[in-house]
Amino acid sequence: MRPRLKALLGAACALPGASCVGWQSTLSPQGPHAESLLRLIFAFAIVCALVWILVVAMLAGALMRRRRISREPLASRPREERRLGMLVGAATAATVVVITGLTVLSFVATRGLEASHDDALKLRMRGYQWWWEVTYLDPRPDRIFLTANEIHVPIGRPVEIELSAADVIHSFWVPSLAGKKDLIPGRDNAITFTATRPGVYRGQCAEFCGLQHAHMAFLVIAEPPEAFDGWRRAQLTDASAQTTSEEERGRGVFTQKACAACHTVRGTSASGSLGPDLTHVASRRYIAAGLLESTRGSFAAWIADPETLKPGSNMPNVPLTSDDLRDVSAFMASLK
Amino acid sequence: MRLVVVMPFAMLALAGCQREERSLRLDPPVEAGLDEVRVMSNGIGGAPPKVYVALGRPYENNAFDLDQGKRLYDWFGCTGCHAHGGGNTGPAFLDGWWQYGADPVSIFVSIRDGRTAGMPAFGRYLTTEQIWQLTGYVQTIGAYSAKTAAPSRNDEMQSRPSENRAPATLGALQPPSR
């Protein structure tokens, strides 16, 4: 019994500690927006804690105090009445002041989050059941490109994301960088954040959106501007050329079978637009919205049986021979 | 005594919690079996695969499958020729006239292999399950009688009542007079 208790206690202590750090935590802000939200959280928590302690102390005092039993209960005591009236009045006034103060604080902090910037990097994110489509916008049409489930941003530059949804309500949430914002079908939203330190931050859909809501994650990779520009240039290119005959055959299978009906690989005849753009899929860290690391084995497993790995996903199980599967997974892994 | 009265109602209420089952994954042999339709020599009408009947004709009476069919109808460009059932360069479904047969097997074959009048073959782009889902949905558009299941409602404006409020029965597979 003793060791089990100890383990339980240890786990209970580690849990809140673990949630303070890592790549997905409001408590380790990595940009001014997340920092202002954290300040707001602390302000609310401290004020509410103080009020709670005060209320409980008063209540305890009232319960402890011995009550005098009056001989004449109906006699009027104007002085005591006035004192009580003043006390209740003061408490009401304090409540109004606290609530007004917190409202103003919250208003000021939220207004700061909405400020627009001229030099912002503009993206568009669209929520699907259950993945994120990302479009990097640019005044020059030839510099616009599509990707999915992973966004790269330069540090120190504001990022403005237009949010829309294709089917049901989703919610954009990268705890380390910004607050939540819903993606609502038919009503576009926008969110702005800035990352100040390079790093990989995890985002998650924060509005229940169906069977695979939990497997609807994405990554935000903040990197120095030079690295970001390099990444952007690489993403703008067509898919890399196939080097082995296996990859070559894989491309044939991909473009001949049902894959090409939903997915685009720029530089090949595959130009479907229903599923994620796969032009540089192997350069992304995860596939299927944070479900599996993008290795050749994961590609093969995902293509062979998507409904076992992510039940309900709209990726169909396309019947392939084992040779075809091997070739296609080699082709996928080559799309760096 | 009171328990005896309450219990049946409680159990009835609990039984109502069970929702319709969704088949999210077909075993590969089942899916392969679903492809084996036996068609008449003129390409119209025929017998559905044995697996299809054994599964209980899910693509005609399962709301989830009908709904998936409705998604596919938009996703794979059916609206380009058939609009939302009203027809355009392709024939309409709403009027209840089926050039190549109104039964599921005929519709399945129309989608999978295409038809001479200009319908392209979609067998290459869709899996067998998806073709069946699409078949079930397409059939609801021109149905003569209401089905027991319906796909979810449209977000767009609609030109007709939703799918489960199909026109009154005219008799088995009998097209309305023109």
Side-chain angles (χ1 to χ4, degrees):
Chain A
M1 196 59 208
R2 189 68 42 99
R4 192 182 291 173
L5 198 75
K6 217 171 179 179
L8 212 74
L9 252 161
C13 294
L15 211 66
S19 55
C20 295
V21 288
W23 62 351
Q24 185 182 355
S25 172
T26 312
L27 300 177
S28 71
Q30 305 293 331
H33 293 81
E35 274 160 14
S36 87
L37 282 176
L38 185 61
R39 279 198 295 276
L40 195 64
I41 293 171
F42 276 140
F44 266 75
I46 291 168
V47 170
C48 290
L50 284 177
V51 170
W52 183 78
I53 289 170
L54 217 65
V55 169
V56 170
M58 295 291 270
L59 184 67
L63 288 173
M64 306 279 223
R65 219 175 65 165
R66 231 205 159 100
R67 223 178 189 181
R68 273 190 316 251
I69 294 162
S70 166
R71 277 195 206 133
E72 292 170 76
L74 295 179
S76 76
R77 278 183 291 276
R79 264 186 66 195
E80 203 172 331
E81 294 272 322
R82 214 175 38 237
R83 200 172 63 91
L84 280 175
M86 296 259 280
L87 256 172
V88 171
T92 310
T95 308
V96 169
V97 167
V98 166
I99 290 180
T100 313
L102 289 180
T103 307
V104 170
L105 205 66
S106 160
F107 173 75
V108 170
T110 341
R111 201 180 52 167
L113 299 181
E114 302 288 335
S116 71
H117 307 267
D118 292 336
D119 64 331
L121 174 73
K122 289 194 166 60
L123 315 183
R124 191 180 289 148
M125 271 178 105
R126 195 163 167 80
Y128 288 82
Q129 281 174 318
W130 292 277
W131 60 283
W132 307 82
E133 183 186 76
V134 184
T135 314
Y136 275 75
L137 302 173
D138 199 278
R140 271 177 54 192
D142 63 327
R143 283 173 54 81
I144 295 173
F145 65 90
L146 252 74
T147 175
N149 303 331
E150 186 177 302
I151 58 178
H152 287 236
V153 297
I155 52 171
R157 187 174 163 196
V159 182
E160 244 178 73
I161 306 186
E162 290 172 29
L163 303 168
S164 65
D167 31 45
V168 297
I169 301 179
H170 304 281
S171 189
F172 176 97
W173 190 33
V174 192
S176 304
L177 293 174
K180 290 175 188 169
K181 193 76 114 180
D182 278 5
L183 290 77
I184 303 166
R187 198 205 182 289
D188 292 357
N189 256 338
I191 193 168
T192 309
F193 64 82
T194 313
T196 42
R197 275 178 288 277
V200 179
Y201 310 114
R202 190 174 183 275
Q204 166 70 37
C205 178
E207 177 72 52
F208 180 70
C209 59
L211 279 177
Q212 293 300 329
H213 162 63
H215 289 141
M216 188 171 166
F218 61 99
L219 291 187
V220 179
I221 296 172
E223 49 197 11
E226 309 81 53
F228 169 74
D229 286 336
W231 174 82
R232 187 174 186 152
R233 267 196 303 280
Q235 292 288 312
L236 279 165
T237 58
D238 283 349
S240 49
Q242 286 73 54
T243 45
T244 66
S245 60
E246 203 177 30
E247 292 167 10
E248 196 75 38
R249 282 198 304 276
R251 190 187 63 189
V253 175
F254 189 89
T255 49
Q256 294 305 307
K257 298 276 182 178
C259 319
C262 295
H263 294 289
T264 293
V265 175
R266 275 176 277 133
T268 73
S269 60
S271 58
S273 56
L274 300 172
D277 186 300
L278 299 181
T279 310
H280 298 288
V281 66
S283 76
R284 309 202 275 261
R285 300 198 181 191
Y286 290 93
I287 58 168
L291 184 70
L292 298 169
E293 278 180 56
S294 38
T295 63
R296 187 177 167 188
S298 305
F299 283 122
W302 173 245
I303 296 164
D305 201 348
E307 293 304 322
T308 299
L309 294 170
K310 198 170 174 177
S313 128
N314 280 310
M315 165 93 176
N317 187 353
V318 179
L320 294 174
T321 65
S322 49
D323 282 339
D324 284 353
L325 184 61
R326 200 174 304 129
D327 296 343
V328 165
S329 63
F331 173 58
M332 289 284 102
S334 78
L335 295 174
K336 290 282 183 196
Chain B
M1 186 59 210
R2 189 174 286 171
L3 202 69
V4 178
V5 182
V6 173
M7 274 300 273
F9 282 106
M11 282 167 85
L12 209 69
L14 275 176
C17 294
Q18 195 189 15
R19 72 167 186 190
E20 185 187 49
E21 274 188 29
R22 303 174 171 191
S23 136
L24 299 177
R25 179 182 182 276
L26 285 180
D27 282 326
V30 174
E31 182 149 11
L34 278 173
D35 198 39
E36 285 160 16
V37 286
R38 283 154 295 166
V39 196
M40 301 292 278
S41 54
N42 64 351
I44 299 171
K50 283 176 188 163
V51 192
Y52 181 78
V53 182
L55 288 173
R57 300 177 169 267
Y59 303 105
E60 289 168 66
N61 53 33
N62 183 295
F64 174 70
D65 286 315
L66 289 175
D67 200 45
Q68 289 296 97
K70 191 169 183 170
R71 287 188 179 206
L72 295 168
Y73 187 86
D74 274 343
W75 284 356
F76 282 85
C78 306
T79 48
C81 297
H82 300 286
H84 284 280
N88 189 5
T89 48
F93 299 130
L94 281 171
D95 62 2
W97 279 86
W98 297 87
Q99 229 168 314
Y100 297 104
D103 60 299
V105 173
S106 305
I107 300 175
F108 178 87
V109 171
S110 296
I111 298 170
R112 187 187 64 182
D113 304 337
R115 294 290 186 184
T116 44
M119 170 77 187
F122 280 87
R124 226 188 81 189
Y125 308 110
L126 295 163
T127 63
T128 305
E129 187 188 20
Q130 288 177 319
I131 300 176
W132 275 117
Q133 287 170 337
L134 202 43
T135 300
Y137 173 66
V138 167
Q139 213 192 13
T140 65
I141 305 179
Y144 306 119
S145 57
K147 283 189 186 285
T148 51
S152 63
R153 66 177 178 84
N154 278 357
D155 281 338
E156 306 90 49
M157 284 200 287
Q158 286 189 87
S159 56
R160 64 194 177 92
S162 54
E163 288 79 358
N164 56 338
R165 290 177 55 210
T169 309
L170 282 172
L173 299 183
Q174 214 174 46
S177 56
R178 261 190 173 158

